[in-house]
Each structure stands twice: as C-alpha cells, then as structure tokens.
Amino acid sequence: MSTAPKTAAPAAGRAATKKELPEHFKAYKHVWVFIEQERGQVHPVSWELMGAGRKLADKLKVDLAAVVIGPEGEATQSAATEAFCYGADLAYVVADSVLADYRNESYTKALTDVVNTYKPEILLLGATTLGRDLAGSVATTLLTGLTADCTELDVDSDGSLAATRPTFGGSLLCTIYTLNYRPQMATVRPRVMPMPERVVRPVGRIVSHPLGLVEDDIVTKVLSFLPDRDSAKSNLAYADVVVAGGLGLGSPENFQLVRQLAGVLGAEYGCSRPLVQKGWATSDRQIGQTGKTIRPKLYIAAGISGAIQHRVGVEGADLIVAINTDRNAPIFEFAHMGIVTDAVRLLPALTAAFRARLSPHSRDRIAS
Ligand SMILES: Cc1cc2nc3c(=O)[nH]c(=O)nc-3n(C[C@H](O)[C@H](O)[C@H](O)COP(=O)(O)OP(=O)(O)OC[C@H]3O[C@@H](n4cnc5c(N)ncnc54)[C@H](O)[C@@H]3O)c2cc1C
C-alpha cells in the first residue's frame, strides 16, 4: 500500500478557470520574503524561505527582495544585510520605534503599505505564530488570496505561483493558484524548505519606507515582555537527532524509554499525535502535519506506524530508522533502516549500549 499523498489534478481544474491575466497585474513584479525578527533574532524560517524564493525568482527572471520590519537600529539593519547572504537582490526596510514589539496593527500597516507601493507578485511568510497572524491580516487587507502551510512552491508556465499543500487530512496534496488577485501570498512552516547555504555577498540596495503611524494610532499596547523560561521546551524543528515514540509503545511509562534514549544521544524527543491526545506528551513534541516538521540528520521512530500525516513531518530527515513489530507497517516504505522488533525491549538496550560507548563529549559530536 502506498501512503504517498496524491496530487489532486490541479491542471484540469485550473485549465477551466485560466484566462488572460488582467493588465494591471503587470505592475506586480518580483518575489518577496518577509524576514521575521523578534527582539533582534531572525527566525531561521526566513532564510529557508529565501532559498525557496530565490528559485522562484530565478524561474521568473525577477528580483528576490527581503522585507524587514522592526525598530530603528542595528538589529533591523543587520537583518536586512544578512538577507543578501541568503540571496536577496534588494531589501525593503520599515524601521520605526513603534515596531519594537510585534503588534498586528502596526506590522500589517507596514507590510501592506510596502506591498501597495512596490507591488510584488509573490509574497512569502513563515507559518510561525507571528507569520500566521500577520499573513492572514495582510491578505485580508490587500484583498488577495493566501495559501497557508505550503509544502511545495513552484511557478507555472504562465508565471503563476503554484502553491501546494496537504488537504483532506493529509491524504491529498492540492495545488492552489491565486488567479484573480495580486500579490500571490503563501506561508510555509519552519523546516519544510531546506536551509540555503549562507554566502557572504556585498550588501545590495536597501529601500527604506516610512511607517506613517505613531504610537497613539495603535490600540494594542505592550505592557511587559515575559521571556519564555521553559528550558524543557522542545527545539524539535531544528534538532540534529530526534527520537520519537508512538502508540506502539503501549503506555506513558514506556514512552519514557524514548526520552531516556534521546537523553543519552543528546537528542530531542518527539511523538506521534495520539500520544498528545492521550496526554502522554505535550503538543510541542508532536511531529507531523499538525505538529512540527523536522529535518534531523538522524530520526529514530519507535512504535510509530508511519501514517501520511506523520510522514510529511519527517520526510526531510537524512536518515530514518524505524522500529516496529509489524514488518508491513507503512513506515518501512520510507525509512532508510528498519528494525522489526519490540521497541519496548530494544529501546533500553540501545540506551545502555550508547551510554556505554558514548562519552558526554562524543554525544555532542553525534549531531555534527
Ligand atoms: C487531520 C489529521 C492530522 C493529523 N496530524 C498528525 C500529526 O501531525 N502527527 C501524527 O503523528 N499523526 C497525525 N495524525 C494521526 C495519524 O493519522 C495517525 O493516526 C497517527 O500518526 C498514528 O500514530 P501512531 O503511529 O503512534 O499509532 P498507530 O497507527 O496505532 O501505530 C502504532 C504502531 O506501533 C507498532 N507497534 C505496536 N506494538 C509495538 C511494539 N511493542 N514495538 C514496536 N512497534 C509496535 C504497530 O505495528 C503500529 O505500526 C493526523 C490525523 C489527521 C486526520
């Protein structure tokens, strides 16, 4: 049985609606990526999107631009200059002290103003908490379409953005076109696109755009900022080694075996969705379509069947090792190595073996 999702025949559906692009669409040119930064930190998904955006721009033979919105100062400027190292031809910068903290009103105003002024044909944002919030309100304000949580981005023969995403619970992939509106907007979750190589390049053209808003115009006020002090919070999406467990482990106690192996390997631990639903793990540990997308160098999946909704979150892993009692489990169709055995017995043995062989120093090196 193949669990690979099928693409829902977009070409046929599209052919029926395809028509000459309106004349005023010609004013919309170039591919833009919103560079998400909070408190001076650029979210890595922005650079991943620069890689995807570069490919689209090259196909369309247009420029790739970064859009940086933030407070005046060093961090915002350096986010713009860093964008050139990830392939930007130019950067639009809206810098104003009222943009120090993300607020939907001010960021929506900043982004929609720049879009209305310089008219990109494609605008990409990360499907992060901030990106989802901003993309929705920007698309609504601009009265254009938005395809959320895309897994593939391409351009069609007529230059339209072909934005592909899972649908029907992940069993189908559909390709969505924004035929009648501009810009064509899409969000992509962290780790779905590969991280492009950073190449030091000379700083390109930076276009500054005024915000045209003062603090009194903004209803939402930031009273204080509470940093996330939860040291146990997962870094699953960007971990190099991930060990995950599924329902096959049989009990929350057995799920601890996954955590123990992850601990010895210096890895992050994760799980399939039913474990979150049962309360065996917190939702930030869920891997898959409605959880995190991961791209580790090594992924060990214990007692996980490999349903399509889980598969889409792990396919980018360099090496997938599956442990399952059922040799016909779907996970063996895409795992690089399969072990047909009882994970509850194997996991402690693996933990003991790695503990004996790995010094703390060499554990750090597993990931490198
Ligand atoms: C809209 C939607 C979104 C979803 N999103 C996600 C998502 O983000 N992530 C996700 O994971 N799922 C998601 N799901 C659920 C998904 O469809 C599957 O139900 C889920 O992934 C199955 O979890 P599992 O593999 O742990 O359990 P099961 O499918 O029950 O598989 C358990 C596996 O363990 C094996 N097993 C049993 N005993 C042992 C043992 N002792 N040792 C080793 N192996 C053993 C079995 O052979 C079986 O293959 C989603 C579903 C829907 C409809």
Side-chain angles (χ1 to χ4, degrees), residues 184-242:
Q184 304 157 93
M185 288 182 61
T187 63
V188 179
R189 296 195 314 167
R191 291 304 246 170
V192 168
M193 301 293 174
M195 178 66 80
E197 194 188 340
R198 181 183 184 276
V199 180
V200 179
R201 289 195 179 92
V203 172
R205 189 157 67 95
I206 295 185
V207 179
S208 297
H209 193 84
L211 175 63
L213 203 64
V214 293
E215 183 59 43
D216 284 349
D217 300 328
I218 307 172
V219 175
T220 312
K221 303 294 173 199
V222 178
L223 301 181
S224 62
F225 179 79
L226 302 176
D228 192 350
R229 295 189 192 280
D230 185 0
S231 58
K233 205 170 169 195
S234 82
N235 182 32
L236 261 182
Y238 289 91
D240 281 329
V241 183
V242 174

Side-chain angles (χ1 to χ4, degrees), residues 160-179:
S160 303
L161 177 68
T164 301
R165 56 152 298 149
T167 188
F168 286 109
S171 56
L172 281 178
L173 289 176
C174 65
T175 301
I176 297 174
Y177 296 88
T178 301
L179 292 178

Side-chain angles (χ1 to χ4, degrees), residues 34-367:
F34 170 69
I35 306 300
E36 176 177 331
Q37 55 148 351
E38 268 194 298
R39 306 206 155 246
Q41 294 290 315
V42 174
H43 196 295
V45 73
S46 308
W47 308 139
E48 293 159 17
L49 285 178
M50 289 295 290
R54 186 69 266 169
K55 287 184 190 150
L56 299 177
D58 288 347
K59 274 195 172 180
L60 290 164
K61 299 190 174 45
V62 297
D63 284 345
L64 172 67
V67 192
V68 184
I69 299 173
E72 290 148 330
E74 175 65 27
T76 302
Q77 286 307 318
S78 70
T81 53
E82 186 69 2
F84 294 104
C85 301
Y86 287 98
D89 296 304
L90 74 159
Y92 295 98
V93 176
V94 185
D96 193 294
S97 57
V98 304
L99 296 165
D101 290 297
Y102 173 75
R103 284 175 287 176
N104 180 275
E105 301 143 281
S106 49
Y107 272 63
T108 298
K109 163 98 169 81
L111 192 49
T112 51
D113 276 2
V114 198
V115 167
N116 282 329
T117 308
Y118 300 102
K119 301 192 185 325
E121 55 186 315
I122 294 172
L123 173 59
L124 308 177
L125 297 92
T128 57
T129 308
L130 187 160
R132 285 169 203 259
D133 186 62
L134 181 62
S137 57
V138 167
T140 309
T141 310
L142 293 170
L143 298 176
T144 190
L146 166 66
T147 308
D149 291 355
C150 297
T151 51
E152 280 175 55
L153 297 171
D154 204 349
V155 283
D156 211 1
S157 53
D158 69 356
S160 303
L161 177 68
T164 301
R165 56 152 298 149
T167 188
F168 286 109
S171 56
L172 281 178
L173 289 176
C174 65
T175 301
I176 297 174
Y177 296 88
T178 301
L179 292 178
N180 300 320
Y181 303 95
R182 288 292 180 274
Q184 304 157 93
M185 288 182 61
T187 63
V188 179
R189 296 195 314 167
R191 291 304 246 170
V192 168
M193 301 293 174
M195 178 66 80
E197 194 188 340
R198 181 183 184 276
V199 180
V200 179
R201 289 195 179 92
V203 172
R205 189 157 67 95
I206 295 185
V207 179
S208 297
H209 193 84
L211 175 63
L213 203 64
V214 293
E215 183 59 43
D216 284 349
D217 300 328
I218 307 172
V219 175
T220 312
K221 303 294 173 199
V222 178
L223 301 181
S224 62
F225 179 79
L226 302 176
D228 192 350
R229 295 189 192 280
D230 185 0
S231 58
K233 205 170 169 195
S234 82
N235 182 32
L236 261 182
Y238 289 91
D240 281 329
V241 183
V242 174
V243 185
L247 266 189
L249 294 173
S251 70
E253 292 73 32
N254 288 342
F255 182 61
Q256 299 311 310
L257 302 174
V258 162
R259 297 186 62 166
Q260 285 158 13
L261 177 57
V264 166
L265 292 175
E268 285 284 351
Y269 71 92
C271 65
S272 61
R273 184 161 94 158
L275 272 60
V276 176
Q277 291 167 326
K278 282 177 173 287
W280 298 2
T282 49
S283 59
D284 62 318
R285 297 286 167 182
Q286 183 186 319
I287 298 167
Q289 185 192 325
T290 45
K292 299 265 167 61
T293 299
I294 61 172
R295 275 185 176 268
K297 292 175 180 158
L298 171 63
Y299 176 51
I300 302 175
I304 293 179
S305 60
I308 183 59
Q309 295 87 358
H310 189 82
R311 177 178 176 166
V312 294
V314 304
E315 276 176 326
D318 291 345
L319 179 66
I320 300 174
V321 179
I323 308 166
N324 199 301
T325 44
D326 176 7
R327 63 176 60 247
N328 295 315
I331 199 161
F332 290 133
E333 291 176 18
F334 59 92
H336 303 98
M337 290 174 65
I339 306 170
V340 181
T341 192
D342 180 354
V344 178
R345 290 180 57 208
L346 183 62
L347 285 171
L350 284 177
T351 304
F354 280 119
R355 188 176 283 130
R357 282 171 184 247
L358 295 176
S359 64
H361 177 60
S362 55
R363 271 174 226 163
D364 292 341
R365 279 195 329 222
I366 282 187

